[in-house]
Amino acid sequence: MKSQGKAYDVVVIGAGNGGLTAAIRVLQAGRSCLVLEKHNLPGGFATSFRRGRFEFEASLHELNDFGSPEEPGDIRTLFRELGVEDKIGWIRIPDAYHLITTDKQYDCEMPFGLQAFTDKMEELVPGSRPSVTAFFELCDEVRAAQTYSMEVNGHTDSEYMKKHFPNFLRAGSYSVNEVLDALKMPKKAQDILGAYWCYLGVDLDRMSFLHYGSMVIRYITRDAWMPKMRSHEISLALETRIRELGGDIWYHSPAAHILTDEAGAITGVSLTDGQVIPTHHVIANMAPHVVFGSMLDKKAVTPQITRATNARTFAGRGFSLFLGLNKSAEELGIKSHNYFIYDTADTVKQYNSMRRVDTNHVQATVCLNNAYPACSPEGTCMMYFTTLIMSDDWSRVSQSEYFKMKDRVADDMIRVFERETGCQIRDAIEEIAVASPTTYARYCGHPEGTIYGYETAGWDSLMPRMMMIAEDAALCPGLRFAGGFAMRSSGYSSAYVSGDLSGRQTVGDLKKEGR
Amino acid sequence: MKFKKQLFGFMDMLRFTKLVPNRRAALAAGADTPLPETWAVNEQARALHPGRMQVELTEVTPLTPRMAELVFRRVDGDAFPFFRAGQYVSLQGKVGDSVISRPYSIASSPRQALQNRLVLGVENAGFFSQYLTQEAKPGDRFVMTEPSGEFHYETLRDKKHIVGVAGGSGITPLLSMAQSALEGDEPYQMTLFYGARRAEDLAFRKELDALSEKGLKVIYVLSDEERPGYEHGFVSGELLSKYVPVQDVTYFLCGPKAMYEYLAGQMAPWHLPVKAVHKDATCCPSLSMDNPRTFTLTVHIRDKVFTVPAREDETLLTAMERAGIEAPNKCRAGGCGYCHSKWLGGDFQVAEGRDGRREADRKFGFVHPCVTYPLSDMELDVPPAE
Ligand SMILES: Cc1cc2nc3c(=O)[nH]c(=O)nc-3n(C[C@H](O)[C@H](O)[C@H](O)COP(=O)(O)OP(=O)(O)OC[C@H]3O[C@@H](n4cnc5c(N)ncnc54)[C@H](O)[C@@H]3O)c2cc1C
Ligand code: FES
């Protein structure tokens, strides 16, 4: 065993959104913290990259639940508490989304704001107002109940719940589609309201209403924002904050193993060169599959841990196309900031078609210039297209077919976008980059190139996860998770929230131990 | 709120209270088979992106008076990864007390990489290159980074007909691109202009002649010699027009800075869009100045601190390498970001036209040491090389 370095109260493995947030929480409580990151940059997926005249956003479409300075959403509030809100230049996203479906020929541009959204829906689907209003009222109660649940760290009092959130409990075990049907919402309104489903990665027959409802109301009522310098600006602001608070952050430093004593209690983290960092607390910004499968000392991996980890299902594997175009969005006729383009409004059918690379024509596409015109040089614009592959189908691609296969999928994304919007973009391509599940597997080390953590469907939906935080953490004392694979599931906002939770809870653990 | 009870059944509460027991039961019912340690896509990622590879030099052959061919095989894996023709690797070795690494374009094709053969054409142009061409012997071991770089064909961006213009050792990526197309891995048709001083300075003649028999169009252009069957002078606008439809092709240029400047002037009247011309990067040179000052550079790597001299006319990366510090680097041209480091203090300047940093890097104080020169004592936090 090599040199025993300085000991830390907490070691955070991975400097993604979850890990960075957790580290700040630990440091704010006056505890020492080291962040280990295998890359040379912080942020994980929250980063940017340059090609020629363009600096591309790697993943963020918009930061939901952010809100204005005057009416902050949960994430702006969190950023305020972390001390990074003012370190970042913010721009407001103009509209919620532009939904296009091939089968029913929907072409709907939906605004932010409850009133505006409901009005627009009424215009598109006359008679939808009562059910849409009822839906949002229900969502509001869900949000309130979840806030309460978070405040008590999942130790909810059932009498209090029954008294204050009766509808939440009543609707709580149903899927989105079951609730929308029960509300007698017109089918078309259901379809339009369901558009966000691919951000959460589960079809609406299997997605819990509580999950979808709490997200959608955050998305619609609090407007979304975006950092001017791409998500790299957030990541650097968070890492600067860690340094300000006296924390250490080491790049090119993948954690190799989490070490334990005979009793299975955590004693440290080792690096690939053998250096050991003594600690009793680890926050892993990675998949439990990786931590329990190959990092944690085998003797600490109990049969219960193995079963609980094997039981879970990976959510979507990522595929993205980035284009730098040598004409402006206006010249090309690209009007919206973000498009959801689906073959069908039927989310179950759509989900199933996404299991295979060759039948997947779904895209969530952003033209950043329509939110922030100065993001690329005058007379140009930037787009990124993302889809999820709902199985391990990509693993069939051989090494020598790899680049051709990436091009084929990218070509299809361009074809579908041009066909559905009428905007001809192909000839304007000046820069292009394509990221496949292989890219994501390499970049963040996640299994199968999963970018969405574990699927929040059926029994593993958000609510029981939140109610079982303490129970899940008890599987391996001293270890907590943050980021897309943690309890709040994936997405920027959720990753920050899980980092916040796990960071604060680890501080609580330290207090309890009297350290 | 007026949400009606009857929307859902009377069992709703019960269903809700089942959420936790259901999840508990599902977790307990998971398989007890050992957790997988890897997955097919992750193995694919490892095969395509092995990071740093251990390689052995197997052949060194002089190509021209100034260039040698170096053939490598990988010793820590079955084969080199498949790559995109036109990409480069960074080769690392130790010369005296210094650790040195340099980027070199790959001259062999991606298919050959799968046969565990990777060829570099190295021009005797500098410190490490001289060592490689004159002193390195078969059997020597080196560290090589995985192939990377954006100088390659893009099917959805580029024209079907591409024009390569090579100057001197700039032939290497274009040779790989020509070969890869003829092996069926790239969809373009290529016309190659290869400029050198004299015929004896043309490298890879044998390979190029073989490729022209299979359909590659090659035009040799000699500046210091007149010969039948060869063009004379520089690769000019006029010469290009003689052989190709200049508005209807995509250009891939690889050669010295002077060649890029000359061609930019020649091509200016054509008003080509930015996307029509791709140039391979060149390493960031030292500045030429009289009596450069020497400053002190403090380098933090994890929990270690080093203090090294840093000359005003040399990059921060060079200062670290001279002192034997292994700092991460790949392109040495400012663009790849692999050397990304945290600035902790001191004044500096970035080489002109080479600031490849992201916008937020500038805002929060990060630098690319490969293109940064000190203007005072400085302090950096640098990731370890691995
Ligand atoms: C193309 C794309 C588009 C997306 N679009 C959106 C969007 O519009 N909105 C949204 O909200 N979300 C979006 N997401 C999802 C969102 O990016 C993620 O959910 C979120 O960033 C997850 O954060 P994380 O904390 O899990 O960190 P990750 O980004 O997963 O980072 C984990 C970090 O851990 C490091 N690491 C791994 N193993 C080790 C080790 N052994 N030792 C040390 N370090 C290690 C990795 O290098 C990485 O930096 C998108 C994702 C992608 C890829
Ligand atoms: S080594 Fe590529 S930017 Fe410095």
Side-chain angles (χ1 to χ4, degrees):
Chain A
M1 214 182 268
K2 241 177 149 172
S3 69
Q4 287 263 349
K6 179 181 158 196
Y8 289 87
D9 288 327
V10 181
V11 171
V12 173
I13 304 178
N17 291 333
L20 292 168
T21 307
I24 294 178
R25 282 313 203 187
V26 168
L27 292 161
Q28 282 177 326
R31 304 292 179 160
S32 63
C33 181
L34 169 68
V35 183
L36 297 174
E37 169 53 53
K38 76 184 170 78
H39 267 282
N40 63 346
L41 294 172
F45 291 141
T47 190
S48 68
F49 58 95
R50 283 193 50 176
R51 288 280 189 284
R53 305 193 267 170
F54 300 89
E55 181 174 339
F56 289 104
E57 167 59 50
S59 61
L60 180 61
H61 290 196
E62 56 198 17
L63 203 50
N64 297 112
D65 196 9
F66 201 72
S68 64
E70 301 75 35
E71 287 182 70
D74 287 1
I75 301 302
R76 189 187 282 271
T77 304
L78 174 61
F79 275 36
R80 231 168 241 186
E81 288 171 16
L82 296 172
V84 296
E85 183 194 7
D86 298 338
K87 291 189 191 309
I88 299 162
W90 296 104
I91 40 158
R92 189 181 166 276
I93 303 294
D95 291 304
Y97 56 84
H98 186 160
L99 169 70
I100 296 178
T101 68
T102 308
D103 63 345
K104 295 189 180 168
Q105 308 232 318
Y106 291 148
D107 190 352
C108 317
E109 296 170 49
M110 303 307 291
F112 283 120
L114 218 52
Q115 187 64 42
F117 189 94
T118 315
D119 289 349
K120 179 78 190 198
M121 192 70 104
E122 179 65 25
E123 179 193 321
L124 293 166
V125 192
S128 64
R129 191 182 298 279
S131 57
V132 170
T133 306
F135 170 81
F136 281 120
E137 281 175 6
L138 195 52
C139 291
D140 207 37
E141 190 176 317
V142 169
R143 178 169 58 186
Q146 284 180 344
T147 306
Y148 160 72
S149 161
M150 293 260 291
E151 276 162 8
V152 298
N153 285 329
H155 302 293
T156 50
D157 173 53
S158 60
E159 287 312 310
Y160 185 91
M161 295 281 285
K162 272 186 209 152
K163 180 146 173 262
H164 291 89
F165 313 116
N167 298 310
F168 166 83
L169 296 179
R170 226 165 265 135
S173 62
Y174 291 96
S175 74
V176 179
N177 281 342
E178 283 167 329
V179 172
L180 297 186
D181 283 342
L183 289 168
K184 303 212 165 46
M185 189 182 287
K187 188 69 188 114
K188 183 172 177 184
Q190 293 193 21
D191 290 344
I192 296 171
L193 199 57
Y196 272 125
W197 79 271
C198 81
Y199 269 6
L200 304 179
V202 179
D203 65 75
L204 299 184
D205 265 6
R206 293 184 307 133
M207 193 181 321
S208 131
F209 163 72
L210 291 189
H211 187 185
Y212 196 70
S214 71
M215 294 294 172
V216 167
I217 191 154
R218 286 161 206 270
Y219 291 0
I220 299 298
T221 53
R222 279 89 169 258
D223 37 36
W225 292 63
M226 177 89 190
K228 285 188 177 155
M229 300 177 182
R230 315 310 108 83
S231 55
H232 189 49
E233 186 176 5
I234 304 182
S235 302
L236 290 191
L238 293 168
E239 99 90 80
T240 300
R241 189 76 186 119
I242 289 174
R243 290 176 190 268
E244 282 171 6
L245 292 165
D248 292 323
I249 180 158
W250 294 358
Y251 296 106
H252 275 183
S253 301
H257 293 290
I258 300 173
L259 311 172
T260 64
D261 62 15
E262 287 313 311
I266 292 174
T267 57
V269 175
S270 69
L271 303 184
T272 44
D273 66 2
Q275 182 173 352
V276 173
I277 297 121
T279 189
H280 296 292
H281 291 273
V282 170
I283 300 176
N285 187 190
M286 340 175 27
H289 265 86
V290 177
V291 172
F292 295 130
S294 39
M295 289 181 72
L296 183 66
D297 257 356
K298 289 276 179 259
K299 58 178 176 290
V301 182
T302 61
Q304 206 189 350
I305 290 179
T306 303
R307 286 182 185 280
T309 310
N310 271 327
R312 310 189 75 185
T313 305
F314 298 131
R317 293 79 175 155
F319 191 103
S320 301
L321 162 68
F322 305 85
L323 296 180
L325 303 170
N326 67 9
K327 292 208 169 73
S328 69
E330 199 179 5
E331 285 172 276
L332 293 166
I334 304 164
K335 286 188 301 181
S336 298
H337 164 260
N338 74 324
Y339 295 86
F340 293 122
I341 304 181
Y342 301 122
D343 305 296
T344 168
D346 180 332
T347 64
V348 177
K349 250 201 235 159
Q350 190 70 88
Y351 180 97
N352 285 328
S353 77
M354 293 164 81
R355 289 178 194 273
R356 284 186 39 186
V357 176
D358 61 349
T359 56
N360 181 353
H361 308 296
V362 169
Q363 56 181 266
T365 297
V366 172
C367 178
L368 189 52
N369 301 70
N370 284 330
Y372 182 42
C375 71
S376 71
E378 185 82 31
T380 68
C381 69
M382 232 166 26
M383 298 184 74
Y384 41 111
F385 305 65
T386 299
T387 195
L388 295 172
I389 303 168
M390 303 302 191
S391 78
D392 191 27
D393 197 30
W394 187 259
S395 68
R396 296 187 303 158
V397 179
S398 75
Q399 239 196 98
S400 52
E401 284 298 306
Y402 178 69
F403 300 108
K404 281 185 184 161
M405 196 60 195
K406 288 206 320 189
D407 283 345
R408 200 171 307 155
V409 178
D411 184 61
D412 190 66
M413 287 176 145
I414 296 170
R415 181 184 66 84
V416 169
F417 183 82
E418 289 189 332
R419 185 191 68 203
E420 296 299 326
T421 64
C423 307
Q424 301 304 308
I425 56 175
R426 203 177 279 268
D427 287 343
I429 300 174
E430 178 176 312
E431 296 291 344
I432 177 168
V434 183
S436 73
T438 312
T439 318
Y440 293 120
R442 165 193 175 220
Y443 196 70
C444 285
H446 300 322
E448 296 179 1
T450 300
I451 62 170
Y452 261 43
Y454 294 118
E455 218 172 62
T456 46
W459 61 264
D460 203 12
S461 68
L462 208 61
M463 198 60 213
R465 285 190 191 190
M466 298 304 290
M467 291 158 84
M468 288 176 72
I469 290 180
E471 198 171 320
D472 286 353
L475 279 177
C476 183
L479 174 65
R480 289 184 182 271
F481 289 90
F485 282 87
M487 61 297 207
R488 270 293 298 258
S489 180
S490 77
Y492 274 68
S493 306
S494 302
Y496 294 128
V497 169
S498 66
D500 174 40
L501 274 173
S502 291
R504 287 187 292 118
Q505 285 170 340
T506 300
V507 171
D509 297 341
L510 280 159
K511 276 194 199 134
K512 262 183 238 146
E513 291 162 19
R515 284 191 206 273
Chain B
M1 92 154 222
K2 352 167 240 326
F3 185 62
K4 312 274 189 327
K5 285 193 187 68
Q6 61 268 33
L7 271 181
F8 301 102
F10 68 96
M11 299 288 281
D12 298 339
M13 288 287 189
L14 189 63
R15 281 181 51 135
F16 187 84
T17 57
K18 286 267 165 59
L19 288 175
V20 167
N22 280 347
R23 184 168 182 273
R24 199 177 281 147
L27 291 173
D32 63 358
T33 47
L35 289 164
E37 294 194 359
T38 187
W39 294 266
V41 168
N42 299 66
E43 285 309 299
Q44 165 91 290
R46 200 163 320 203
L48 281 160
H49 302 286
R52 297 183 2 143
M53 306 176 286
Q54 306 293 323
V55 300
E56 183 184 285
L57 182 60
T58 58
E59 294 166 43
V60 189
T61 321
L63 286 168
T64 70
R66 286 179 52 76
M67 256 179 98
E69 177 188 64
L70 279 75
V71 183
F72 294 88
R73 76 183 180 94
R74 195 173 161 194
V75 293
D76 63 343
D78 293 341
F80 289 102
F82 198 72
F83 61 96
R84 201 87 203 237
Q87 291 187 307
Y88 71 93
V89 292
S90 173
L91 193 68
Q92 185 185 88
K94 223 171 164 192
V95 183
D97 289 334
S98 302
V99 281
I100 299 291
S101 48
R102 292 287 182 270
Y104 297 102
S105 296
I106 305 169
S108 49
S109 72
R111 285 279 150 188
Q112 288 176 28
L114 294 180
Q115 310 296 317
N116 203 11
R117 180 184 159 88
L118 192 138
V119 180
L120 304 180
V122 177
E123 188 180 1
N124 184 352
F127 187 49
F128 192 45
S129 300
Q130 180 172 355
Y131 171 82
L132 286 176
T133 52
Q134 322 235 305
E135 289 178 47
K137 297 173 301 300
D140 286 357
R141 297 274 171 107
F142 296 87
V143 169
M144 186 185 272
T145 62
E146 67 189 38
S148 48
E150 280 105 49
F151 183 74
H152 58 73
Y153 188 74
E154 276 296 352
T155 317
L156 301 176
R157 172 194 65 191
D158 298 324
K159 299 270 206 258
K160 282 280 167 284
H161 184 179
I162 66 170
V163 171
V165 182
S169 63
I171 186 63
T172 47
L174 295 165
L175 177 65
S176 177
M177 288 174 71
Q179 239 171 313
S180 187
L182 293 173
E183 286 168 355
D185 289 320
E186 296 283 0
Y188 46 77
Q189 174 214 335
M190 184 170 180
T191 304
L192 177 62
F193 293 83
Y194 182 10
R197 290 194 174 183
R198 316 177 64 85
E200 63 172 24
D201 297 318
L202 293 165
F204 297 112
R205 274 305 292 270
K206 192 163 49 69
E207 288 81 355
L208 288 167
D209 289 343
L211 291 174
S212 20
E213 272 171 29
K214 291 189 203 150
L216 174 72
K217 175 83 185 142
V218 193
I219 298 111
Y220 297 109
V221 188
L222 305 177
S223 60
D224 294 9
E225 189 181 6
E226 288 198 51
R227 268 194 183 220
Y230 295 72
E231 291 286 351
H232 177 67
F234 292 122
V235 180
S236 62
E238 195 189 328
L239 187 69
L240 289 168
S241 315
K242 183 171 156 190
Y243 288 96
V244 299
V246 293
Q247 296 282 356
D248 214 25
V249 295
T250 301
Y251 297 88
F252 287 84
L253 317 182
C254 189
K257 202 166 153 231
M259 179 185 111
Y260 293 159
E261 282 164 3
Y262 175 74
L263 273 172
Q266 294 284 303
M267 294 160 89
W270 302 340
H271 300 290
L272 297 172
V274 177
K275 64 180 274 185
V277 186
H278 309 298
K279 283 181 283 208
D280 207 0
T282 52
C283 288
C284 183
S286 294
L287 299 172
S288 59
M289 55 167 66
D290 301 325
N291 307 318
R293 292 170 291 175
T294 298
F295 303 112
T296 301
L297 171 65
T298 307
V299 181
H300 299 255
I301 297 183
R302 290 188 186 151
D303 47 359
K304 312 258 178 332
V305 187
F306 306 85
T307 313
V308 307
R311 284 167 48 164
E312 170 176 36
D313 60 338
E314 291 187 344
T315 65
L316 297 171
L317 176 62
T318 304
M320 291 188 276
E321 289 178 335
R322 275 191 189 280
I325 297 177
E326 276 191 61
N329 69 93
K330 267 188 194 171
C331 72
R332 306 182 76 92
C336 77
Y338 196 65
C339 61
H340 191 264
S341 298
K342 173 74 183 165
W343 165 91
L344 297 175
D347 299 329
F348 61 86
Q349 59 171 329
V350 177
E352 208 191 316
R354 290 182 179 274
D355 196 346
R357 289 178 293 171
R358 299 157 170 93
E359 240 184 301
D361 289 332
R362 288 194 288 270
K363 173 169 170 178
F364 289 96
F366 284 82
V367 291
H368 290 175
C370 70
V371 291
T372 305
Y373 307 96
L375 289 174
S376 72
D377 289 348
M378 284 191 71
E379 193 167 351
L380 291 184
D381 187 355
V382 179
E386 231 174 331

